[in-house]
Amino acid sequence: MSSLSKLKRIALLAAQALSLGLVAAWVTIPASAIFVQRYGSNRLPWTYIGAAILGVAASVALSAALRRLPLVVVTIRVLTCLAAALTAGYVGLALGAEWVAIPLIVVFPVLIPVGFMFVVGQAGEMLDVRVLKSSYGRVVAGFALGFVAGGLAAPALLSLLGTTESLVGCAALASALFVGVVAVTSHLVPELHAHAGADDDTAAPSIGELLRDRYVVLLAAFQMLSAVESQWLDFLVVDRASRRYESSEALAAFIGRFTAISYGADLIVLLLIAGWVLRKFGLRIGLTVHAAGVLGALVATTVATALTGSASTLVFVLLVGARVSDIALGDGASRTSLGAAYQAVPKRQRLAAQASIEGLAVPLAIGFSGVALLVVEQVANIGGRTLVVLTAVTVAIWLAIAIALYRGYRVTLLANLRHRVLDPAELTIDHPSTLAAIDRLISSDDERDVRLGAHALKQAGHELLVSHLMKLATDDRVGVRTLVLQNLAPTEPQLAAEIARSGLTHLDPAIRAVSLGSLGDLGDASDVPLVEPLWDDIDEDVRVAAAGALAHLGSTDAHDRVTNDLGRLAVSSSPDDRIVAARVLGVCAGVPSIHRDSLDRLLGDECVDVRRHALDSVAWPDDASRLSQVMACIDERELSGPTVDALLRVGADTVERLAQGLEANSGWSRFAQEQAARVCRMVGGEEALATLVRHVDHPNRDVGLVVRQQLAILVWERGDPTTLELVSREISPALATDLRFASNVLAAMVTLGGSNQVRAVLTGLDDELMLAQRRALALLTIRYGPDGVGSVAFQLAQPDVRLQALALEWLDVTLVGTDRAAIALLEPGLSAARRLQALNREPRTGSQGTRDVLYDLVHDAGNDWRRPWLAACALAAAFDRGDGFAMSYVDGREPLRDEATASSSSPWYAAPIVAETLEGLRVRLDRPTRDFSAASTQRE
């Protein structure tokens, strides 16, 4: 992306829209006046049909051009042709060819949507969706300003130039201005020259493909209904005006004043109201307020028509008011919202969708409105209330479509955030070439190819699977031998047992071990004599596998032998022997005659590897009495994996003990409590769920983060809406607590500024802010699901501002109520001051100076910070600044811990890092100035 600033990009787009507004004003005023005076307002519907035909042709041409050329190039060429056509039209009108008004009034309904398609398309390339939503109103304001200026200038130009057709010449000049602004934009923003399909070898989507996308269909329906009601309202105003003004000059003057009033109101809405409404309420209001406002005006018009008649001044004024509100809300709400709504469409489809909707669907809708007017004219009085009522019904349907479009916007945004992975097609083995390929895989020297070939045969349920596996039964690769035994055992157990017996004498110990494992499951007591010699094998894995086979196949004598050897191995001085004992206990689990007393000793062994294997061997309910020994290992990082696995085998019976360990005063370390939260989630059940909910706001914020993450997984794995609702209600206050703490952190950061003396403190506060963001995301994951929030978290971490904007936009349209405040905490790139202002919360540390913030961090009287190392950094910073409270602690005049703080619930006073920092500061105080400075520099 070029370095051109956001404001300059918006200014360029607004200048384009201004030119479009001038063109539109100076085309519609003379064309409408000349046409109505020459042919009558009852012929206007035919021009709408002509606009539809022109729109279809334009859409086909634009779609073909956009498949080959960048949008900006197409824009320049089309606008150049428009300028030439308007110049020719001016010449024709000047020569007395009034029929030129017909193509001009036919072009007008197509001109604005196609012109805006050009502007919106460029805006999508130049701005991200958040900027587009908040600032596109300024771009549309350029169009309104152009239309207002054109309307206000029209009477003066008519007086100056003397003829109505002279305005068409002004429109040609405005078109040339439009071309110039687009050319400047193209030069300053090089990325506009990148063709949308340049990095995509797939063809642009066809209309049929676009119509299969529900969201695109809703966009089309929204704009088509909007076009229909706008054309009918415009017709009603022009029809009523033509009955009031007799000459083309008088009618042109009215249209000019009406245009100025309409787009003047539009300009006010765009500049003063639209941006605020969209920032405050988002697309929910932006997409619906237009239809709702017009519907209200039409209802009032219908009532007035019934009471005073369709020709009354009141009805005329109400119709003018309805059309003014239609224009103002259309630009201020709908058009601005649609600019953002299009950004939810994937880039490959976006331009095609815009070209099809603006260039084809909208003109078709205009054509439909013309046909409908002709039908109404034949069956009813078109000047009565029939058309007003029909327009109101259309707007009501349009409002329903707007609501559905907003809901689809959120879903489509999420789809755009995801990284889709296509599922591989299922392999169908129904051709000789496919079987030949399978044969090559099965006979490959690469074990991965062999596994793939066997998997394909198995998935297809092919009859050749067994024969191919039997060919591999004598393979010397342990992976292939394992594959054969695993795949034959379910369907051909006798064949698998024979292959296992043949592998007991193999030279490779790994194959002997695999064969013993299979034979233990598939053999019988007659295989014991084959297995017993392998209990004395020199390879550890073979001995363990032999013990397991004997446990499942052997007699009581064999079991006694294994038990006796276990007792000897468990007390051996060799860790390897003790590891064998632990592993054998694992493979012999569930065999009552093999005693497990030696497991107690192994669980307390001094060797970590022995304890790890002992934990792997723990089984329930055989080892229920050893739960305390297993629980004691939860705090050892090296044993975390097997400890968690062992506790999972216990199941629900362990949740109560885990819940006790999660309590703040349990004495468990942070690591142990985090492990406890993970085990609770994996065990599941109502008790585990309640335990996690209870500790969402755990005093240790790091533990609380893990609790929230595990709770989110558990809640959404259950898939129970009732559970989700109950949990969401229970955890609702936690987000407000996090935001309040984040405000405290931000206020402290703002107060401390960027001084080097407090650099370490600022680093610590930044860590706290990141933790608050992660905790907020975890809570939002619980409430709104891991699918959406997970994608948002991933995109917010990316450097691409467009991806970040899409993620923030999804949050904006998804979060409800007080949860929306979290967006300010999560938005990347904000300074501490801007983030604090956006959070709009009163922090506890507000209106304090640097000394006060450092004092608060050191003492933590309210137990809000809970960070000993942050207190230590603040103490050192206060000492470096020469703050009196720090100096008095260091030189011993005052104790750091007095009676008040001794009873404080804050645990930091006992932390070693605080005492070590205090001692280090005392050493620095006693050193000469030179040494003190050197030590200070080294610390930094």
Side-chain angles (χ1 to χ4, degrees), residues 716-728:
W716 286 89
E717 279 180 346
R718 290 165 67 100
D720 179 12
T722 303
T723 299
L724 176 59
E725 182 180 354
L726 291 174
V727 171
S728 296

Side-chain angles (χ1 to χ4, degrees), residues 392-420:
V393 172
T394 301
V395 173
I397 299 172
W398 177 34
L399 179 59
I401 294 293
I403 295 171
L405 178 61
Y406 170 73
R407 293 174 178 171
Y409 176 65
R410 172 174 169 262
V411 174
T412 308
L413 266 179
L414 178 58
N416 231 356
L417 287 173
R418 291 194 190 111
H419 291 270
R420 295 184 179 91

